[in-house]
Amino acid sequence: MERILFGDNQFFGINHMSEEKARQQAMRFQSTDAIIEVLQAALHAGAGGFMCTTHDTIEKIADDVRARPDMWKGFTFYPGMPYAHKYANAVTELGYFDALRKFLPKEGLVDTVLRGSKAVLGKDIESMMTLLVDAEMKMFEGLETPVIFLQNVVTDLVQGLGFVDAFRIFSEHCRKRYNAEAGFITMNVPKLLPMLHEAGVENPIVCANVNKLAFRMSGGIEGYREAVKRHPARMIAMSVLASGGISPREAIEWVVNEPYVSSILFGASSRANIENTVALIREYDGARAAVAA
């Protein structure tokens, strides 16, 4: 897993600092070419790991990567699922059956449909979860996806329900069918890590808010440190700027020195901001390495 990962919030009008900026970004990135330009800037700056939702626009990016592999060398998808809005929209536009055909993998369609029916009729959570993953992964066929993430809306729902086995099912299916590791996005690291350990998911990949202000860090900074000490995990830090509450330099210096942070996820919409953020991470990584030596 790369040290520096690039996110996709800015492409879909998500900005926790400003609704107006979010609106402007959504307008700017209506064009796939505009998104490709930014992703190419991230790739060349050294942030080729792309952590993304399974929004319909990402499918167009995946098509471009397949069509022009030389241009995308070193670029890797880290998909996160589910993206619920696209299912609701597809059913509205196409009807249930055509929506099913749109999302399910072409191979083994009958088996997949049967698994889906079994899930609905028998409340078979394993069938339902593997069906969901297969539907979401269809757009990444033939592409490298070393980690597949469960979005926090599901991760934290499973936590609340106490259904530990769901994490095992997800992890095993990612490994067996896609030769990928499972990743988990969460708003509650101290609660999640013991549950993953109970599910048999050791040294998991977990993405969560990690920042100097403890913004949206359930349990606080010390709670995170203690949780990872008890149950080691490969942590991906997101929201490191605390939605603009910290300057980039101060934020990066602090997060780089959190010993449990394996990777840093950030989003940006300009080449200058991408290059500056990558440079800061490398600067403080270098300083940390020098002190350790």
Side-chain angles (χ1 to χ4, degrees), residues 25-203:
Q25 289 176 332
M27 293 293 293
R28 174 186 169 189
F29 292 115
Q30 286 181 324
S31 163
T32 304
D33 287 343
I35 296 176
I36 288 174
E37 182 181 350
V38 172
L39 290 177
Q40 282 288 307
L43 173 61
H44 291 130
F50 181 42
M51 199 164 158
C52 58
T53 60
T54 53
H55 189 284
D56 287 342
T57 301
I58 299 300
E59 186 169 7
K60 297 175 183 177
I61 303 301
D63 289 340
D64 197 84
V65 174
R66 278 187 288 262
R68 300 189 286 179
D70 290 343
M71 189 178 89
W72 292 97
K73 187 175 181 180
F75 185 83
T76 307
F77 287 98
Y78 290 81
M81 57 191 62
Y83 191 75
H85 294 294
K86 74 177 180 185
Y87 293 108
N89 292 341
V91 170
T92 300
E93 295 172 8
L94 304 171
Y96 288 104
F97 185 73
D98 285 340
L100 188 69
R101 293 182 62 185
K102 173 181 173 67
F103 291 118
L104 294 180
K106 292 180 181 178
E107 100 315 320
L109 179 61
V110 173
D111 173 66
T112 308
V113 170
L114 288 175
R115 281 194 287 134
S117 299
K118 181 183 177 184
V120 172
L121 296 175
K123 297 183 180 179
D124 182 336
I125 299 299
E126 184 163 359
S127 294
M128 193 178 297
M129 180 162 280
T130 56
L131 176 67
L132 167 69
V133 175
D134 292 346
E136 296 275 14
M137 287 299 293
K138 179 183 173 184
M139 70 173 67
F140 301 103
E141 185 176 358
L143 299 174
E144 186 179 357
T145 54
V147 184
I148 301 170
F149 285 89
L150 197 63
Q151 290 280 15
N152 62 282
V153 65
V154 176
T155 301
D156 293 343
L157 175 62
V158 170
Q159 286 190 57
L161 295 173
F163 187 55
V164 174
D165 209 38
F167 295 136
R168 177 193 59 79
I169 292 166
F170 179 69
S171 180
E172 289 181 353
H173 189 64
C174 289
R175 184 179 69 254
K176 291 177 181 178
R177 185 172 176 88
Y178 300 101
N179 192 31
E181 289 196 75
F184 303 89
I185 305 173
T186 185
M187 296 291 114
N188 195 333
V189 169
K191 185 173 181 179
L192 176 64
L193 294 188
M195 291 185 71
L196 291 176
H197 176 73
E198 185 181 346
V201 183
E202 299 297 339
N203 194 26

Side-chain angles (χ1 to χ4, degrees), residues 189 193 223-235 260:
V189 169
L193 294 188
Y224 273 44
R225 290 170 177 167
E226 287 300 316
V228 179
K229 189 180 296 183
R230 289 194 303 270
H231 301 289
R234 288 164 286 171
M235 293 293 302
Y260 59 85

Side-chain angles (χ1 to χ4, degrees), residues 253-267:
E253 180 181 15
W254 181 85
V255 79
V256 161
N257 284 287
E258 282 297 282
Y260 59 85
V261 172
S262 298
S263 300
I264 298 169
L265 170 68
F266 77 97

Side-chain angles (χ1 to χ4, degrees), residues 200-264:
V201 183
E202 299 297 339
N203 194 26
I205 297 171
V206 174
C207 181
N209 291 352
V210 180
N211 54 75
K212 190 176 182 178
L213 298 184
F215 173 69
R216 298 177 75 185
M217 292 177 66
S218 181
I221 293 168
E222 287 303 322
Y224 273 44
R225 290 170 177 167
E226 287 300 316
V228 179
K229 189 180 296 183
R230 289 194 303 270
H231 301 289
R234 288 164 286 171
M235 293 293 302
I236 300 172
M238 66 178 179
S239 193
V240 297
L241 300 183
S243 285
I246 320 171
S247 70
R249 178 168 288 277
E250 181 182 3
I252 297 299
E253 180 181 15
W254 181 85
V255 79
V256 161
N257 284 287
E258 282 297 282
Y260 59 85
V261 172
S262 298
S263 300
I264 298 169

